[in-house]
């Protein structure tokens, strides 16, 4: 076994996902099973090999009146294996993945599956209220919504650091560009800066095209003990760092909200454990629920200095000459962020996003991402996934290496 494998939490041997979109003909179980079956196929194993499941889900109890997601999944699968449902708002699947890694590392399980799932579009009229369960009572009392809370973060970042509306729009332009070749993406089409700036105002200064959409979908990951990974695949992807952290629920309870402490702490843990620095990262999945979050995450994870995220993104998008991906020139290397469109263009079925990010990194590192395969001058060896719940009440960061 290689040194990397011997200190890894777990090895990823397969991944699968559904399209993210308005999927009115599919139930929550249909989505979970579709993504799980795809993942089992890529790992070339059968469901009977899975010893436990870790499921990420946030609002099924509110949108489709189903609180016991584990029971629904067990019924659909006809299984009695342990199934743990993890809830961390939009970071539910990030936390499910984190706990699955611990389940393998502890020696309790050899092979497990992680599934993230959300049905959001069935009850469009209540989805904004349902999502607001991840805010504090006082924030809700004053009428805040999630776009409203992130609008506070965006306005403050613009005020403190001179980040411009155009720079923020470029995050969206970049992520829509990355979704063009993603057959699973909700919005696989390019947009222009001007369309973002002229899109309907949602919560000043956030506009429609700054927002991730409301989506249905599921994604699944198969993890195994690193010692046995080579039995299943020639190209295991190792989880070499796992970080998770929390913060005060409400923005007003924090000293500063132009960045997220949960991101900073989770990234620090994951990078330290994986023994990597920012310059080692080739691909990065950031939680761009609103454009400002890609800017603050780049800063919080120390890919750029505080306050420099806006100009950094601006320069990268300005210098794009028209290939598949818009590359950030990072430290001593290059980095592609949100390779398949991120939350903005791929879609954001909240409980499924954390595992979708892992699926994207896995495909890219194994080299099977097809038309959206990232093509850099260096080999892709290291990917990082960043998943946030609420406005940063919880967060997880994972380092994946091949
Ligand atoms: N990006 C691009 N296009 C979008 C979009 C988005 N985020 N949201 C909706 N659209 C498009 C729809 O496809 C539709 O296009 P069509 O007219 O060509 O069919 C049009 O805009 C109107 O869609 P609709 O569903 O009526 O929009 P809406 O006004 O109800 O919702 C938002 C728009 C931005 C309010 C909604 O997407 C939203 O709440 N997003 C944030 C979700 C969130 O908070 N997630 C948690 C993050 S922490």
């Amino acid at each position: 076994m290689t040194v990397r494998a011997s200190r890894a939490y777990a090895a990823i041997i397969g991944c699968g996902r559904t399209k993210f979109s308005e999927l009115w003909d599919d139930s929550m179980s249909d989505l979970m099973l579709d993504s799980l079956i795809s993942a089992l196929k890529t790992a070339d194993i059968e469901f009977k090999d899975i010893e436990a499941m870790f499921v990420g889900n946030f609002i099924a109890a509110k949108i489709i009146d189903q609180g016991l997601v584990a029971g629904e999944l067990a019924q659909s699968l006809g299984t009695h294996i342990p199934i743990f449902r993890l809830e961390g708002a939009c970071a539910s699947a990030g936390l499910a993945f984190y706990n699955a890694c611990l389940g393998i590392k502890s020696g309790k399980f050899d092979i497990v599956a992680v599934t993230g799932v959300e049905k959001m579009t069935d009850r469009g009229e209540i989805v904004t209220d349902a999502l607001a369960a991840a805010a504090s009572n006082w924030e809700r009392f004053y009428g805040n919504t999630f776009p409203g809370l992130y609008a506070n973060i965006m306005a403050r970042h613009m005020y403190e650091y001179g980040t411009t509306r155009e720079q923020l729009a470029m995050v969206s332009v970049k992520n829509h560009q990355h979704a063009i070749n993603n057959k699973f993406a909700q919005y696989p089409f390019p947009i222009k800066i001007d369309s973002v700036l002229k899109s309907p105002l949602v919560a000043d200064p956030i506009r429609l095209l700054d927002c991730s959409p409301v989506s249905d979908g599921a994604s699944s990951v198969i993890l195994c003990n690193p010692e046995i990974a080579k039995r299943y695949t020639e190209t295991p992807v190792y989880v070499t760092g796992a970080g998770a952290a929390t913060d005060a629920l409400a923005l007003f309870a924090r000293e500063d909200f132009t960045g997220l402490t949960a991101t900073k702490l989770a990234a620090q843990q994951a990078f330290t454990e994986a023994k990597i620095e920012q310059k080692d990262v080739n691909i990065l999945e950031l939680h761009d629920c609103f454009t400002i979050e890609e800017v603050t995450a780049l800063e919080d994870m120390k890919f750029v200095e505080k306050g420099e995220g806006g100009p950094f993104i601006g320069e990268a998008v300005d210098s794009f000459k028209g290939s598949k991906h818009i590359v950030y020139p990072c430290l001593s290397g290059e980095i592609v962020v949100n390779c398949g469109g991120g939350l903005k263009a791929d879609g954001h079925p909240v409980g499924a996003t954390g595992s979708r990010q892992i699926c994207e990194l896995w495909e890219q590192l194994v080299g099977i991402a097809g038309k959206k395969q990232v093509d850099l001058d260096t080999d892709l060896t290291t990917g990082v996934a960043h998943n946030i719940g609420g406005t940063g009440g919880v967060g997880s960061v994972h380092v994946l290496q091949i």
Side-chain angles (χ1 to χ4, degrees), residues 22 90 120 128 131 146-147 150 176 187 189 202 208-209 211-214 287 289-290 344 348 350 390:
E22 292 180 1
C90 306
M120 297 173 79
T128 300
L131 290 169
F146 262 91
Y150 275 92
H176 272 262
Y187 294 129
F189 50 79
V202 175
L208 183 108
L209 290 177
C211 304
S212 55
V214 169
H287 191 94
C289 51
F290 300 94
K344 172 67 205 76
H348 185 29
V350 288

Side-chain angles (χ1 to χ4, degrees), residues 169-180 190-191 193 282-284 294 312-329 334-339 374-376:
M170 286 176 180
V171 173
S172 238
V173 169
K174 173 183 72 66
N175 291 342
H176 272 262
Q177 167 68 26
H178 290 185
I180 291 173
I191 57 168
I193 295 173
N282 313 115
I283 45 175
L284 181 53
E294 182 158 326
F312 174 77
I313 290 166
E315 280 163 32
V317 177
D318 275 341
S319 60
F320 180 56
K321 298 277 182 296
S323 59
K324 266 187 288 188
H325 292 97
I326 296 171
V327 179
Y328 288 152
E334 293 180 320
I335 191 164
V336 175
V337 174
N338 290 330
C339 315
V374 167
D375 187 16
L376 293 177

Side-chain angles (χ1 to χ4, degrees), residues 252-270:
F252 63 75
R254 303 182 199 162
E255 271 178 31
D256 168 45
F257 56 75
T258 59
L260 304 186
T261 300
T263 299
K264 289 177 199 159
L265 296 176
Q268 216 169 19
Q269 286 167 36

